Amino acid sequence: MAKQYDRSAEDLGNIVGLEHVNLLIPDQGLATLFYVSGLGLTRDPYLMTSVDNMWINVGRSQFHLPTGKAQRLRGRTALVIPDRELLLKRLANMKKPLEGTEFAFKEHKDHVTAICPWGNEFVVYEPSNNFAGMVLGMPYVEFDVPKKTAKGIADFYSKLMGTMATVKDHAAHVSVGYGQELVFRETDKKLPDYDGHHIQVYVANFSKPHAALVERKILTEESNQYQYRFNDIVDPANGKKLFEIEHEIRSITHPLYARPLVNRNPRQSNRNYVQGRDGWVPEWEDADMGDPRRAMREARYQEATGRALAAD
């Protein structure tokens, strides 16, 4: 009897990637100190290299940080960044340069929280099996939402966007790519007014969600052939608005889809420089997927050679 697999465990749903979080920031110098010098991330060297915007690479995702009045995400963004000890040293080095801002950080048992100069919260984990093997990236963005909205939000993404969504512990968990989620967690606290920040995702079936948004009159922008936008998350059952966050929806035929992103090795400096180590490279891990034909190969090899087959 062949081994039985849970094939649904590999399903991703229609949303195939969380590419960026967009937040206005008033000072690119302070943003560089936090995102690059503190978190150890990388400014994109090819696009948005002037002073009106900056793109910060984190694995296969980004932060887009246009210059303007500071925006605050109503929740928190999770990051996976290797080497907690080095991360804490970098953040500690930013205490004086970022003095007088809202910058702060704290070490917890399984993560580090960091607050940017304008109050945005980041939850930083070391690589683990909890995030589908991600070693540098953005595993989830979590939003605080009103009570009794999680189920409707999950239904919205499932029925209108065509992706997988579940509700557990008063939070909607929405699949937005391999090892990536949007989390909408119910809270009693008063939420601040929405200030225009946005997220961007790629979808495989581009036209079906578009038609559903048009039908419900919640599409806000026909950007171009490869992109559209909407703000309101509504309950499919009754049309009630549950939460507002602008979604930039791109097709996977968009020219920027799967664009290779440069990620530097933050260990490198002019004092400990090693040639060939400028680019960030993940540590190799043995991902054993299993080989049901191994026994057959061994028998065939031994019959032909009279020797045992060596380990791969």
Side-chain angles (χ1 to χ4, degrees):
M1 174 67 71
K3 181 177 179 180
Q4 298 299 304
Y5 297 93
D6 177 9
R7 297 304 185 186
S8 66
E10 308 309 319
D11 292 342
L12 292 181
N14 191 39
I15 303 179
V16 297
L18 170 61
E19 200 257 12
H20 72 251
V21 172
N22 190 106
L23 297 161
L24 296 184
I25 51 103
D27 190 316
Q28 286 202 7
L30 295 180
T32 299
L33 288 172
F34 177 74
Y35 287 94
V36 179
S37 301
L39 293 179
L41 305 178
T42 307
R43 179 165 186 171
D44 193 300
Y46 299 119
L47 298 179
M48 300 301 169
T49 58
S50 188
V51 295
D52 61 329
N53 198 349
M54 63 190 306
W55 288 6
I56 296 291
N57 298 340
V58 49
R60 292 178 291 183
S61 297
Q62 292 185 317
F63 292 101
H64 289 186
L65 305 168
T67 300
K69 183 179 178 181
Q71 292 176 331
R72 185 176 295 190
L73 188 139
R74 294 166 299 169
R76 55 217 54 87
T77 302
L79 302 174
V80 173
I81 298 176
D83 200 333
R84 178 193 290 203
E85 182 179 354
L86 189 59
L87 168 69
L88 290 168
K89 288 180 180 179
R90 290 194 303 265
L91 292 172
N93 288 339
M94 293 302 104
K95 285 182 178 180
K96 188 168 185 179
L98 294 176
E99 189 175 9
T101 72
E102 295 188 49
F103 169 71
F105 69 96
K106 184 176 181 180
E107 185 176 14
H108 303 267
K109 183 178 180 180
D110 67 341
H111 67 276
V112 173
T113 54
I115 309 298
C116 87
W118 304 283
N120 283 292
E121 181 181 356
F122 301 86
V123 186
V124 186
Y125 301 90
E126 287 193 294
S128 74
N129 293 331
N130 294 333
F131 305 115
M134 182 183 291
V135 285
L136 177 66
M138 188 183 293
Y140 67 84
V141 178
E142 181 175 276
F143 298 99
D144 296 327
V145 298
K147 285 287 190 179
K148 299 182 179 180
T149 60
K151 183 182 182 303
I153 290 172
D155 288 346
F156 172 88
Y157 283 96
S158 175
K159 295 178 181 179
L160 273 68
M161 301 305 295
T163 199
M164 293 179 299
T166 59
V167 177
K168 54 184 178 182
D169 300 327
H170 304 288
H173 293 257
V174 179
S175 173
V176 290
Y178 182 52
Q180 293 183 297
E181 286 187 325
L182 297 180
V183 181
F184 297 86
R185 190 168 301 282
E186 294 180 354
T187 179
D188 285 325
K189 68 182 181 182
K190 180 177 172 56
L191 299 178
D193 292 336
Y194 175 58
D195 62 12
H197 56 279
H198 76 257
I199 57 172
Q200 183 263 306
V201 295
Y202 286 101
V203 301
N205 185 326
F206 191 55
S207 63
K208 190 173 182 179
H210 178 269
L213 297 169
V214 170
E215 180 183 359
R216 287 162 177 78
K217 296 182 172 57
I218 54 176
L219 189 76
T220 58
E221 180 182 290
E222 296 278 15
S223 313
N224 53 46
Q225 177 66 22
Y226 312 102
Q227 180 179 302
Y228 51 83
R229 297 181 186 235
F230 73 92
N231 284 30
D232 293 348
I233 299 172
V234 301
D235 191 328
N238 54 29
K240 180 182 177 182
K241 179 177 175 179
L242 303 174
F243 190 67
E244 183 176 6
I245 173 67
E246 185 176 58
H247 293 61
E248 182 179 331
I249 306 296
R250 292 180 183 172
S251 66
I252 59 173
T253 58
H254 193 290
L256 287 175
Y257 176 68
R259 170 179 171 251
L261 299 183
V262 175
N263 289 278
R264 69 188 179 92
N265 174 9
R267 286 182 172 274
Q268 287 276 56
S269 75
N270 60 333
R271 297 184 299 278
N272 65 353
Y273 186 79
V274 179
Q275 288 191 357
R277 299 289 181 88
D278 288 341
W280 179 84
V281 178
E283 292 293 326
W284 182 85
E285 293 185 10
D286 182 11
D288 184 1
M289 294 184 290
D291 183 1
R293 299 193 175 192
R294 171 77 188 189
M296 183 172 61
R297 289 171 52 214
E298 288 178 346
R300 187 174 64 235
Y301 183 86
Q302 189 161 3
E303 181 180 358
T305 67
R307 301 191 303 273
L309 180 65
D312 293 334

